[in-house]
Amino acid sequence: MSERLLEQIQATVRHFRLGELSMGFEVMISFVDGVQRYLEVEGDAEKTMSFGPVLSMILEAQQRGDFLLVADLLEYEVTKLVRQ
Amino acid sequence: MEPLEQIQRRWPEIAAHLADARPGRTWGLTQTPARTLRVGEINITSCYDREREASVQASRIPEDSEEAWVYGIALGDIQRALLSRLALKRLHVVIMSSAVARKALEVVEHPWLDDPRVTVHFGAEVGVHEPFTCAPACVWTAERSCQPLRDRLLGALAAPMIRAFEAKQQVAIEQAIAANAERLAVDPDVETLVGRHNGADFYVVAAGPTFDEVADWLKSRVSGAIVIAVNSSVLPLLHKGIVPNYVVAVDPAEALVEHFGGLGSTDALTDVPLVYPPGLHPRVLKAWPGTFVKTNLTVPVYRDLCPNDPKGQLFVSGTVTHAAVDLAVVMGAGRVYLVAADFCFPSARSHARAASSSAAVSGPKMFTIDGMGRSVSSTLNLVGYRDELARYVTGVSGVEFLRVGRRGAVIEGIDFVEGAP
């Protein structure tokens, strides 16, 4: 499951870096679903807690239209958490 | 030599643009793993690894390409990545905002400006050229004069997704055409409406949020004129006691049935024709209480599936409002008033309050300019539809186009009615 999540992250990041916002949003919806399922399957409360702050930062950046920061947070912060 | 001096030496006309630039936003360099310029609330590049990001962005240009276009100068990382390619002979770099470019030139060195393969352009003076890539944050922060280019770039970047969406729609349209066969065999063709109201004033009424502000003005004007509603504006019009003369619906989605679900007493609509394409969902046709006129549409899926019947066709490029405007032109309009065709979200709402699809709008969006010169939120799709309408209007002769609803997005070539809301 983490492999699938990492693929979704990579696809979202690539779309945002290239300015392909519509496609980025579409994959990001799948990513959000994916991360919820991933955390349910993992069933690790500590891990779930560790995702909270970065997901909040992503949401805030998205609302500001700061999509390169969204890409950064996905690529460098969320990826690190998934791989841990 | 300082970057601004390099620009002055090689492209004095660009330097003049930069000299006129007014900051207008807050600026700063981030304290992050990779420092970047922050413009207002957004980062102009990655703040973790700029080189890696530039390599992704440069990958949009084929390795063996001799020419490339980069929209947005950012911090020069994409230019550096592309100029490292021996095959590249010409690199065009386009400034999308003088203020952003000027600040970017001030905060870091830009050695790419010395490369003889480079030409710098100003975004208000060029179009979209292939192959291209962009520094996306520079596109999103385009200054007003460069926003038409911004919108064309965003449209080009979204094209693969639009094509995929259309392919998905084809299946639904094929099924609907089969289900509607009986009705299609007997309904009159839109061709029979050609010139039906020569020289008349038409009001084409969409269901944008400004409907609520212009409805009283509209009600005082429609007597003796022809009112064309789109599916979502039927309900708001009836709430105001205005019965449309024609209704247009084109989207194959079953959800359109909701627009006709709460009509209440439908006696007033018994003789009102619904102008529809063969692929309209059968449940939507069933829900309409009036008469019917079939039409073809200028979209590839209909050219493929039913090229000869219906014979008449209406222009559509993403929104039913296009078809409603074209219907007015086909029927001989002398003047077309666009009402509540907003293409944006004034007051952060999606539609007029009485429309079944009316909702508060939040989440990611882009910005455009409204009829009062203010920034207003919109979406890539809406701005694209707006620009398609502007292009359509430039190709129509002998018809005057005006509009009401000043909090709607500016449409190039269509003026607002003096004294109207």
Side-chain angles (χ1 to χ4, degrees):
Chain A
M1 175 165 271
S2 62
E3 284 308 311
R4 174 85 188 113
L5 200 56
L6 289 170
E7 280 170 23
Q8 287 169 336
I9 290 170
Q10 280 165 13
T12 309
V13 166
R14 184 174 172 79
H15 285 313
F16 283 154
R17 298 248 186 257
L18 291 173
E20 298 167 350
L21 288 185
S22 313
M23 288 169 272
F25 296 150
E26 184 151 296
V27 189
M28 195 154 169
I29 291 167
S30 310
F31 158 75
V32 171
D33 289 344
V35 90
Q36 278 168 353
R37 276 200 305 276
Y38 169 74
L39 292 173
E40 280 164 19
V41 170
E42 288 282 303
D44 179 342
E46 199 176 324
K47 188 154 202 170
T48 303
M49 292 277 283
S50 68
F51 271 74
V54 70
L55 291 179
S56 297
M57 286 165 70
I58 288 173
L59 186 64
E60 284 166 21
Q62 192 183 346
Q63 283 171 342
R64 290 195 305 271
D66 193 354
F67 298 110
L68 295 182
L69 182 58
V70 172
D72 277 340
L73 292 168
L74 286 170
E75 185 168 14
Y76 298 105
E77 301 297 342
V78 177
T79 299
K80 197 162 58 185
L81 290 172
V82 173
R83 285 198 171 130
Q84 269 172 9
Chain B
M1 194 181 289
E2 291 295 313
L4 284 165
E5 289 170 3
Q6 287 168 304
I7 294 263
Q8 176 66 46
R9 182 177 57 83
R10 292 190 66 187
W11 303 282
E13 68 288 359
I14 298 289
H17 280 297
L18 298 180
D20 289 341
R22 297 284 169 271
R25 291 185 172 102
T26 54
W27 309 88
L29 280 173
T30 59
Q31 300 294 330
T32 45
R35 297 190 81 186
T36 188
L37 181 62
R38 194 158 177 77
V39 178
E41 292 191 302
I42 72 172
N43 290 345
I44 212 75
T45 68
S46 169
C47 64
Y48 280 70
D49 190 337
R50 283 169 36 199
E51 197 176 324
R52 185 178 158 90
E53 178 179 74
S55 135
V56 171
Q57 290 158 339
S59 73
R60 211 168 178 278
I61 308 290
E63 281 289 339
D64 60 353
S65 186
E66 294 187 354
E67 188 163 18
W69 287 75
V70 177
Y71 292 89
I73 75 166
L75 299 179
D77 305 313
I78 307 174
Q79 294 88 312
R80 192 165 44 248
L82 287 170
L83 289 168
S84 70
R85 297 181 184 180
L86 294 178
L88 194 79
K89 292 184 175 157
R90 288 175 301 281
L91 180 64
H92 303 272
V93 181
V94 182
I95 290 173
M96 301 298 295
S97 158
S98 300
V100 175
R102 185 174 170 153
K103 200 48 98 172
L105 291 167
E106 283 171 3
V107 295
V108 294
E109 291 186 354
H110 288 262
W112 58 276
L113 287 168
D114 277 336
D115 194 302
R117 293 172 290 175
V118 171
T119 308
V120 176
H121 305 265
F122 185 57
E125 292 152 7
V126 295
V128 177
H129 296 271
E130 295 278 0
F132 79 85
T133 187
C134 67
C138 290
V139 175
W140 303 329
T141 53
E143 69 180 64
R144 192 170 295 190
S145 66
C146 300
Q147 287 181 0
L149 174 62
R150 172 199 70 180
D151 298 341
R152 288 199 292 279
L153 283 167
L154 294 176
L157 290 165
M161 186 165 174
I162 292 166
R163 283 196 292 273
F165 178 69
E166 286 172 350
K168 255 191 244 173
Q169 273 198 332
Q170 177 150 351
V171 177
I173 289 173
E174 276 176 336
Q175 289 168 347
I177 291 173
N180 296 336
E182 216 169 294
R183 171 163 297 291
L184 287 164
V186 296
D187 282 340
D189 195 295
V190 75
E191 243 191 7
T192 62
L193 299 180
V194 174
R196 173 71 64 93
H197 304 285
N198 271 331
D201 280 357
F202 277 73
Y203 290 85
V204 173
V205 186
T210 65
F211 178 88
D212 301 312
E213 294 156 22
V214 302
D216 290 335
W217 177 91
L218 177 66
K219 194 167 180 182
S220 70
R221 297 278 299 238
V222 292
S223 173
I226 306 296
V227 176
I228 300 179
V230 302
N231 44 277
S232 54
S233 64
V234 175
L235 208 50
L237 280 168
L238 292 180
H239 271 255
K240 278 286 169 186
I242 303 169
V243 179
N245 300 87
Y246 298 88
V247 174
V248 183
V250 301
D251 189 332
E254 187 175 0
L256 255 63
V257 77
E258 288 166 22
H259 296 142
F260 302 149
L263 294 177
S265 168
T266 55
D267 293 351
L269 297 170
T270 309
D271 294 324
V272 177
L274 173 69
V275 180
Y276 75 97
L280 200 71
H281 197 282
R283 277 194 63 212
V284 180
L285 285 173
K286 203 170 172 197
W288 179 245
T291 60
F292 298 90
V293 173
K294 63 185 177 183
T295 183
N296 228 318
L297 299 175
T298 58
V299 289
V301 62
Y302 283 106
R303 270 203 301 275
D304 294 345
L305 294 176
C306 42
N308 303 314
D309 183 19
K311 289 189 180 65
Q313 64 173 14
L314 296 176
F315 162 73
V316 168
S317 186
T319 171
V320 63
T321 303
H322 294 153
V325 171
D326 197 31
L327 179 63
V329 171
V330 163
M331 288 197 287
R335 190 180 291 128
V336 175
Y337 292 93
L338 281 170
V339 180
D342 295 332
F343 302 107
C344 64
F345 305 122
S347 307
R349 288 206 72 78
S350 67
H351 290 87
R353 287 192 181 273
S356 63
S357 44
S358 185
V361 175
S362 61
K365 42 195 171 285
M366 61 184 288
F367 289 88
T368 187
I369 305 299
D370 73 10
M372 291 183 281
R374 296 177 312 202
S375 186
V376 62
S377 64
S378 183
T379 64
L380 174 58
N381 287 356
L382 289 178
V383 166
Y385 303 157
R386 185 264 316 262
D387 294 344
E388 285 294 309
L389 180 61
R391 271 192 281 280
Y392 164 86
V393 165
T394 60
V396 176
S397 57
V399 182
E400 185 182 6
F401 291 91
L402 291 164
R403 63 189 294 227
V404 292
R406 283 175 192 274
R407 295 207 301 144
V410 160
I411 306 175
E412 206 177 316
I414 306 183
D415 292 329
F416 288 91
V417 177
E418 277 298 318

